[in-house]
Amino acid sequence: MNSTAKRIAVIGGGVAGLLASLTAAHEGAKVLLFEKMPKVGLKMGITGKGRCNLTNSAPIMDFIAKTPGNGKFLYSAYEKFDNEDLLSLLHSWGLATKVERGGRVFPQSDDAQEVRHLFMDRLKKEKVELHLEEPVRHIIAADGRAAGVVTDKGRCDVDAVILTTGGASYPRTGSTGDGYAMARELGHKVNTIRPALIPLVCSEVYCRELQGLTLKNVTLSVEAGGRRKAEEFGEMSFTPFGISGPIVLSLSDKVSLWISQGRGVKGTIDLKPALTREVLDRRVLRDLEKYHLKQMAGALTDLMPHRMIDTILELAGIPGDLPVSELKKGQRLALVEAMKNMPLTIVGTRPISEAIVTAGGVSVKEVNPSTMESKIIRHLYLAGEVLDIHAYTGGYNLQAAFSTGHLAALSAVKELESE
Ligand SMILES: Cc1cc2nc3c(=O)[nH]c(=O)nc-3n(C[C@H](O)[C@H](O)[C@H](O)COP(=O)(O)OP(=O)(O)OC[C@H]3O[C@@H](n4cnc5c(N)ncnc54)[C@H](O)[C@@H]3O)c2cc1C
């Protein structure tokens, strides 16, 4: 870096801001990274249950498909810096990675802190000027271009600003939605934020009774007003307030949207999605013959987890102490129905503070997808979750933050150099 190097302020030392800072510094800019927390990358450190699902090995088209929140906006960012580019970079820094089920890529060490520390080391190497515990309050714009930032310590003049303050979930990591207000002040539209990838709240008492129980290979279906429908097959669990787990998180984006539109949402769990009602009925009959000397509560152990039996019998209206030999055909069919169609009344989502990602944010219509530059304020770039982008689980959200952060930094340096 020389003394005439252009000055770039990066606001937020999270996933997007860290890579943006390193990229801009590597390209010769003088980078000032402002982070409101005492440490950078706090959210990165808790990703993937502490293991950091860095990205996915899938082709880029899958990344777009797995990003219900404005996936197509990311084409250019992925063209410039995709999952393979990210992994090459991390490998060149000495990080070993591995690919797991569903193409999910993790550090070999299973330790998100290793990734965080790697980024912190690189900040030193690239001589990024770190301003920890110094939240940015405002972005200064003069003559339609970003010219500086204001913190509690005063004003800091720069040539370009990259806004990477993240979403509004897990506020203890520093993501408290500050960037939305800063962008709004400059005339940007911020689409209503809501939780995505979030556990769901159900009114059924049995969810609480079954809390901690995980169901595998089930289908969860959700619908609003009979017309909007979605379903996922896989694993879910019961919680003290409702349901969670991979398939619940996958469906939660749609449910969160429907709820924000004031729609009532119903769910059903199919405990035996591979079996039609007729085949399941024959299977139940076989089990009832096998356990014909027992009561109903003792006759279903081969069909479902032990803890579910009372709930299913109650849903079917069958007393647990009813002798198997006294079960009527209508009751047996009700039992099959309860297993194929376990009802859930979804009354809400958990709060946004508990969401894995925030849906909504700065409208991507006002950001150039080829550069990440604001279409309203020149030399203001935006990247990561502060934008109205959100993806499913699987490493897609981190890749989106890395790719947009990288593109924002490259574009900022290139644009400043060309002046
Ligand atoms: C529990 C959990 C697990 C997750 N696991 C995964 C996973 O395994 N894989 C995956 O792909 N995604 C995962 N995600 C999502 C992923 O972490 C986010 O999408 C990603 O961190 C977004 O990056 P970002 O840089 O936009 O925001 P962040 O990483 O949230 O960074 C924003 C930064 O800006 C700082 N900041 C905010 N306001 C200011 C201000 N005024 N001034 C200065 N600094 C400010 C914050 O302190 C923070 O450091 C997970 C999320 C959570 C909550």
Side-chain angles (χ1 to χ4, degrees), residues 389-403:
I389 46 174
H390 65 276
Y392 294 136
T393 56
Y396 306 106
N397 285 297
L398 283 183
Q399 182 69 49
F402 282 130
S403 294

Side-chain angles (χ1 to χ4, degrees), residues 182-410:
M182 285 187 248
R184 216 180 265 124
E185 264 183 3
L186 296 175
H188 270 279
K189 181 172 190 282
V190 177
N191 293 331
T192 310
I193 57 163
R194 60 183 173 79
L197 299 183
I198 183 83
L200 300 176
V201 181
C202 304
S203 57
E204 278 75 16
V205 175
Y206 66 70
C207 290
R208 199 167 52 244
E209 291 166 353
L210 295 174
Q211 64 179 282
L213 178 69
T214 296
L215 301 176
K216 291 193 172 145
N217 302 324
V218 297
T219 294
L220 173 64
S221 310
V222 287
E223 65 164 79
R227 281 174 49 225
R228 290 168 179 74
K229 286 190 180 157
E231 64 175 43
E232 287 280 340
F233 169 80
E235 188 178 312
M236 60 170 282
S237 53
F238 294 100
T239 70
F241 46 81
I243 52 174
S244 188
I247 59 173
V248 175
L249 294 184
S250 292
L251 289 169
S252 67
D253 179 38
K254 284 200 178 71
V255 172
S256 159
L257 180 67
W258 296 337
I259 286 173
S260 74
Q261 294 167 340
R263 297 174 199 281
V265 183
K266 297 261 171 227
T268 50
I269 306 169
D270 184 346
L271 294 175
K272 301 286 171 194
L275 307 181
T276 62
R277 280 176 172 71
E278 294 67 37
V279 174
L280 179 58
D281 187 34
R282 286 204 292 276
R283 168 80 208 271
V284 169
L285 265 174
R286 270 208 316 275
D287 281 33
L288 296 180
E289 274 162 29
K290 180 175 168 191
Y291 295 113
H292 70 281
L293 295 177
K294 295 202 170 202
Q295 296 178 338
M296 282 307 293
L300 304 176
T301 42
D302 297 352
L303 271 167
M304 66 188 80
H306 195 262
R307 280 184 65 195
M308 285 217 72
I309 293 175
D310 284 352
T311 305
I312 291 293
L313 284 174
E314 201 178 320
L315 285 171
I318 301 169
D321 59 2
L322 182 77
V324 169
S325 55
E326 291 177 21
L327 187 79
K328 308 232 166 24
K329 182 178 176 192
Q331 289 173 305
R332 197 184 74 232
L333 294 180
L335 177 63
V336 169
E337 191 55 27
M339 281 191 276
K340 292 292 288 176
N341 221 347
M342 192 176 176
L344 288 166
T345 313
I346 300 168
V347 293
T349 65
R350 291 295 289 166
I352 195 162
S353 56
E354 294 176 24
I356 303 287
V357 280
T358 305
V362 178
S363 169
V364 296
K365 290 190 183 136
E366 297 169 351
V367 177
N368 182 342
S370 310
T371 59
M372 296 294 140
E373 187 174 20
S374 159
K375 291 181 185 171
I376 297 175
I377 304 287
R378 282 192 61 214
H379 293 194
L380 170 66
Y381 298 80
L382 301 98
E385 218 179 297
V386 70
L387 290 168
D388 185 1
I389 46 174
H390 65 276
Y392 294 136
T393 56
Y396 306 106
N397 285 297
L398 283 183
Q399 182 69 49
F402 282 130
S403 294
T404 53
H406 186 265
L407 178 57
L410 278 188

Side-chain angles (χ1 to χ4, degrees), residues 11-18 34-37 39-44 46-49 51-55 106 134-137 164-167 169-170 173-179 182 355-357 383-386 392 394-399 401:
I11 311 176
V15 177
L18 284 169
F34 293 89
E35 169 53 52
K36 76 191 282 189
M37 302 302 278
K39 294 174 179 174
V40 294
L42 284 179
K43 190 173 275 180
M44 180 191 265
I46 58 164
T47 50
K49 298 195 173 128
R51 296 173 61 222
C52 191
N53 180 190
L54 287 160
T55 183
F106 291 91
E134 196 177 340
V136 170
R137 304 293 183 198
T164 51
T165 42
S169 73
Y170 277 66
T173 64
S175 323
T176 46
D178 298 10
M182 285 187 248
I356 303 287
V357 280
E385 218 179 297
V386 70
Y392 294 136
Y396 306 106
N397 285 297
L398 283 183
Q399 182 69 49

